[in-house]
Amino acid sequence: MSLLTQFHEAGLLRPLDFEVATRLGAMQGESNPLVLLAVALASRAPSLGNTCVNLADVPATLRRENLPREVVEQLCAELPSAANWVTLLEESPVVSSDGQSGGPIVLQNHQLYLGRYWSYQRRLANHLQHRAMTPVPWDGPTLEAALQEAFPQSPDDEFDYQRLAAITAVLRNLTVIAGGPGTGKTYTVRRILHLLLAQFQHPSAGGGAPRVALLAPTGKAAARMTEALQEGD
């Protein structure tokens, strides 16, 4: 029994993933079960919230599955090393290294993508990079005045990371704010909006109110975020 079939019968692949691998193999003239298994795992990756499968992580991922230990260890023992797996894929007609030539599956380092998701990721990365590098016009005196309003209690002898994050967001077209629960992310975003509104009200901005879009993964989270941003403090 091929490793592809073993993964399928163990419930580690959806019927869709199995069909994608076997049909694509038939269309491209690829019969190596290890190559087809990699394709099936790449097909499964988006259902797990990933754009690709990292071949080097497959054994560790398997050990987190809810399967009998002996089944997992047997499957892991039959897997090739990541380097050998990559070599097999590089020689396969199913695989492309650049998304342009070769097959519809894209391999970069140890990461294997369905071509569509590789294209999505590349387009998003290019867009974010362009946005991050685009200069932002801003007015210094307006920013300074708005900072005094937004952070009136910032102590002079203590570095205020939230103030720094707010300044950074005004000076750049792309800012990422990260932190665990209760670290002040929403507090900071509210003050960023204050600074941005002040910049838009400056005569050099040409007038008009900016559009603000709030995105959250669930309706409950969106409602809570809206409520938190509307609260004054």
Side-chain angles (χ1 to χ4, degrees), residues 97-153:
S97 62
D98 58 7
Q100 304 296 325
S101 57
I105 307 297
V106 180
L107 175 67
Q108 292 192 328
N109 299 319
H110 292 158
Q111 298 174 324
L112 193 68
Y113 301 76
L114 295 182
R116 178 175 56 177
Y117 287 94
W118 178 82
S119 178
Y120 291 160
Q121 179 172 290
R122 186 179 66 163
R123 284 159 52 193
L124 176 60
N126 289 341
H127 175 76
L128 293 177
Q129 184 179 40
H130 174 75
R131 177 177 286 272
M133 296 177 66
T134 302
V136 179
W138 56 280
D139 180 75
T142 300
L143 175 58
E144 183 61 36
L147 279 170
Q148 293 301 323
E149 294 175 359
F151 298 93
Q153 304 301 324

Side-chain angles (χ1 to χ4, degrees), residues 157-225:
D157 59 346
E158 196 172 309
F159 194 82
D160 190 338
Y161 285 97
Q162 290 174 319
R163 191 173 191 272
L164 174 62
I167 295 172
T168 302
V170 175
L171 303 184
R172 297 182 179 178
N173 260 321
L174 177 68
T175 304
V176 177
I177 299 173
T183 55
K185 297 185 299 298
T186 303
Y187 173 93
T188 304
V189 169
R190 191 158 60 243
R191 276 143 187 80
I192 288 172
L193 291 175
H194 176 80
L195 301 186
L196 290 174
L197 287 170
Q199 289 291 317
F200 269 86
Q201 289 168 359
H202 189 270
S204 64
R211 293 186 301 165
V212 178
L214 304 176
L215 303 178
T218 66
K220 182 178 180 181
R224 176 67 192 107
M225 181 171 62

